[in-house]
């Protein structure tokens, strides 16, 4: 049975997608069978893995409407399987709002392929809407990517409260694997101060930071992870190390 890992933070630009894509690729490198689920209508993960969302006939929204998930999953050059998103996913919260059992639509859809993978990595949208609650309801683990700047803290308290509610009400097995500091610049005292404050403030594990690097801007243009475009770069090494930590925790 696949273990389901969600990357969630309702703030945009904190490297949820970058982390989902590169972590998924790193897990594949470690011999794991991985499905990446793109739950953001902006479809950046889909794009980053080499598929143009505008060329696709089917996406995650069709699965929410009842299409067989196996028929929507795509292969990617990084060896990660992909449940792609298209822009129509923007209507997901509205679609789900009136449905009974609306928190469990993603969980139930993923159950059909859970035996085909070791890991299912979910890239969440920048919202705390029903589609993100679905991701948290399906997940065993959640990682919270967070940029090391004071303003990035805004909203994390609310996210933690949402996670606590999800655990209490709909998914008791959900575990916060940790905060993942991203876009980290260890040369600045400010970034270091923010990093050191995270553990005491949120009382959760703080994972090893991912360093800011231009390599991350280059990779999506060719539709590959940076493990493929820049295999020896610091970022690739750091996401491989993160994959090892996650494997060790299971
Ligand atoms: P989110 O999914 O949270 O909105 P993204 O993963 O799309 O965030 O990242 C936002 C931007 O930051 C993207 O342009 C991405 O290429 C860039 N980025 C992510 N991680 C890094 C990093 N470690 N160094 C430099 N740029 C990064
Ligand atoms: Mg994103």
């Amino acid at each position: 049975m696949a273990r389901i890992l969600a990357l969630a933070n309702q703030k945009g630009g904190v490297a949820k997608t970058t982390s989902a894509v590169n972590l998924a690729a790193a897990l594949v490198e470690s011999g794991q069978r991985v499905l990446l689920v793109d739950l953001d209508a902006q479809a950046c993960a889909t794009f980053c893995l080499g598929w143009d969302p505008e060329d696709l006939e089917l996406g995650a929204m069709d699965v929410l409407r009842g299409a067989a998930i196996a028929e929507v999953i795509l292969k990617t050059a990084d060896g990660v399987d992909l449940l792609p998103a298209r822009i129509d996913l923007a209507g997901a919260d509205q679609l789900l709002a009136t449905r009974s059992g609306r928190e469990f639509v993603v969980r139930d859809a993923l159950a059909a392929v859970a035996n085909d993978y070791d890991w299912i990595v979910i890239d969440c949208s920048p919202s705390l809407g029903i589609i993100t609650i679905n991701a948290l309801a399906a997940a065993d683990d959640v990682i919270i990517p967070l940029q090391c700047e004071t303003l990035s803290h805004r909203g994390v308290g609310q996210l933690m409260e949402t996670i606590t509610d999800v655990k209490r009400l709909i998914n008791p097995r959900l575990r916060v694997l940790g905060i993942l500091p991203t876009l980290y610049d260890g040369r600045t005292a400010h970034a270091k101060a923010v990093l050191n404050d995270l553990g005491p403030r949120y009382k959760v594990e703080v994972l090893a930071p991912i360093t800011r690097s231009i390599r991350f801007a280059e990779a999506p243009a060719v539709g590959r992870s940076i493990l493929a475009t820049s295999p020896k770069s610091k970022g690739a090494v750091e996401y491989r190390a993160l994959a090892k930590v996650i494997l060790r925790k299971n």
Side-chain angles (χ1 to χ4, degrees):
M1 277 281 278
R3 221 175 148 81
I4 303 180
L5 168 67
L7 289 108
N9 186 334
Q10 74 275 31
K11 192 167 160 52
V14 298
K16 287 182 291 298
T17 300
T18 304
S19 299
V21 165
N22 289 291
L23 182 57
L27 287 166
V28 167
E29 249 190 28
S30 297
Q32 305 286 300
R33 297 167 303 164
V34 183
L35 172 67
L36 182 91
V37 176
D38 190 348
L39 280 191
D40 183 359
Q42 287 171 36
C44 294
T46 298
F47 189 81
C48 285
L49 284 171
W51 287 93
D52 186 339
E54 292 189 15
D55 294 341
L56 300 175
E57 308 252 304
L58 294 172
M61 185 68 167
D62 299 283
V63 174
L64 301 182
R65 289 199 187 99
I69 185 170
E71 282 160 33
V72 185
I73 290 173
L74 302 170
K75 299 281 175 199
T76 73
D78 272 271
V80 176
D81 281 8
L82 171 70
L83 178 64
R86 299 164 71 240
I87 188 70
D88 63 351
L89 193 61
D93 278 6
Q94 205 185 353
L95 174 81
L96 296 174
T98 55
R99 207 185 281 183
S100 59
R102 60 188 181 168
E103 289 97 351
F104 301 113
V105 178
V106 168
R107 184 194 70 182
D108 293 349
L110 294 179
V113 291
N115 285 323
D116 301 337
Y117 298 101
D118 301 303
W119 290 90
I120 298 177
V121 177
I122 306 180
D123 182 24
C124 292
S125 77
S127 86
L128 284 176
I130 302 170
I131 191 69
T132 298
I133 300 298
N134 261 266
L136 296 174
D140 300 292
D141 295 314
V142 55
I143 287 180
I144 303 168
L146 186 73
Q147 197 176 338
C148 283
E149 287 178 4
T150 305
L151 281 177
S152 324
H153 280 293
R154 294 181 58 83
V156 176
Q158 196 190 352
L159 175 60
M160 292 295 191
E161 279 170 30
T162 301
I163 290 170
T164 304
D165 287 346
V166 167
K167 268 171 91 155
R168 189 167 54 85
L169 298 168
I170 58 179
N171 180 12
R173 71 176 197 289
L174 180 64
R175 168 174 76 158
V176 180
L177 215 75
I179 290 177
L180 178 65
T182 57
L183 291 139
Y184 184 65
D185 184 352
R187 293 167 306 182
T188 70
H190 175 66
K192 275 190 211 153
V194 172
L195 180 66
N196 290 330
D197 175 55
L198 291 174
R201 183 187 290 256
Y202 297 111
K203 312 268 185 300
V204 294
E205 180 165 350
V206 180
L207 300 158
I210 308 292
T211 307
R212 183 185 286 272
S213 150
I214 189 64
R215 298 283 162 262
F216 287 100
E218 296 164 354
V222 292
R224 300 295 303 268
S225 73
I226 77 156
L227 279 76
T229 58
S230 231
K232 298 209 170 94
S233 64
K234 196 166 186 189
V237 170
E238 288 168 345
Y239 276 112
R240 277 190 204 107
L242 176 62
K244 293 266 157 21
V245 167
I246 289 169
L247 288 171
R248 213 180 309 129
K249 282 179 185 285
N250 290 284

